[in-house]
Amino acid sequence: MPRRIYEGYAYSDAARAECIWPLPDQTWPELTDAETTEVAIVGGGFTGLSAALHLAQSGAEVTLLEAHVPGWGASGRNGGFCCIGGDKIGLGAIRQRFGVAAAQAYFNAQRGAIDLVDDLLSTHGIDAETHSSGELQLAHRPDILPTLRAERDLWAEYGVDATLIPQQDLADQGASGTFHGGLHVPLGFALNPGRYLTGLATAAANVGALIRANSLVQSITRSGSTYKLKTPRGQLTARKLILATNGYGADGLPDWLTGRYLPLQSNILITRPLTEDEIFAQGWTTDLMAYDSRHLLHYFRLLPDRRFLFGARGNVRASAQGQAAMRARMRRDLAAMFPAWVNVETPFFWSGLVSLSRDLLPYAGPIGDWEDAWVGMNYHGNGVAMGTWVGARLADLAMGRDPLLPIHARPLPRFPLPSIRRSYLYPAILAYRLKDGPVT
């Protein structure tokens, strides 16, 4: 039987009840009968919708099954950072492990992922409230500055003109706070993920992809050259299969997936709209995507409507009590990092599941030894661009094309003792908090 590793709260509407991002307002039909298709896709987030769109554009018959509605999961409740990312080890470590050529190909993929999102927004006329010329990494301690200098030099090797900003110049950049310097990397942009997902789903449906909502896949079985996907009220038979559930997957669905991903809760706090006086009092006037240098990082940006988005990770308990405790922690962190906003109301808070791999790299490739079956997952909290790009590459695979997958298609290792892998998070988070030091 399929098994999820968190309590039911993590997979309930309660976890996203206060999310400000819009879900598609279309009424998507449920799978209520026995249907057939060429390609079945499980999951209606960035990866699944991108795969559906690209497949349908290529003339394939495709049906997407979503347990709720498109964008309900992590894709529709993230911070909206369309940026470089997908791994948690960095280009330097990737180059050491896989070589110069593979690292360059991976960087090209990351840059291409950003360009793909930009192209989709333009091609399909999606107004996703885009802003921000790249992202700003901020040093939370003085001893982080040498690391930022090294990162600047590494970016230069890949043709990226990253700018190191001394502490005394942060205020001039509209980035005042309790930081000790920053690195501006001019790659990527911010967007409203709900609007982007709505546009993707609409575009995919317009070119012929069938989207079935409220159709939780309960089992996947291989029968000869076909796959049978059972839902509460229907069954879908397909010749090819794409799995795009990421952190919302389930062990045993299929067996190969068990232990090859580790969901982690990411949380977002939103202020009420700030007045111009409040914005200038704090000195945070930039619209750049930003994050600090902690292992358990905070990520934040000033939204176009002048609300402030403040995100963080580090909550292992998936319950109303756990969510309330994380909300209180983040409220304290926001006040410590941006003291002028200590009394600003924060009426919205929600959580979602990102997904990690054991080797801290994204994956796009076969589902074990199953023929004509692929999965894309483990974006380590950076799935806006990478998930979109992986979806397009999975579509290539399903169409018989041979896409460049620089590191994504390596063998995907399992976590040891996979049934208890969530428990690894407790000591890891404690250790990271000790390394990061107090939030000031």
Side-chain angles (χ1 to χ4, degrees), residues 148-158:
L148 295 187
R149 292 190 190 97
E151 289 188 19
R152 177 198 59 188
D153 296 341
L154 180 62
W155 284 121
E157 295 182 38
Y158 289 90

Side-chain angles (χ1 to χ4, degrees), residues 2 219-221 241 243 250-259 261 367-368 370 375 414:
S219 66
I220 303 173
T221 56
L241 171 68
L243 194 62
D251 285 358
L253 196 68
D255 288 340
W256 177 88
L257 187 64
T258 301
Y261 66 105
I367 300 175
W370 279 7
V375 60
R414 267 199 173 100

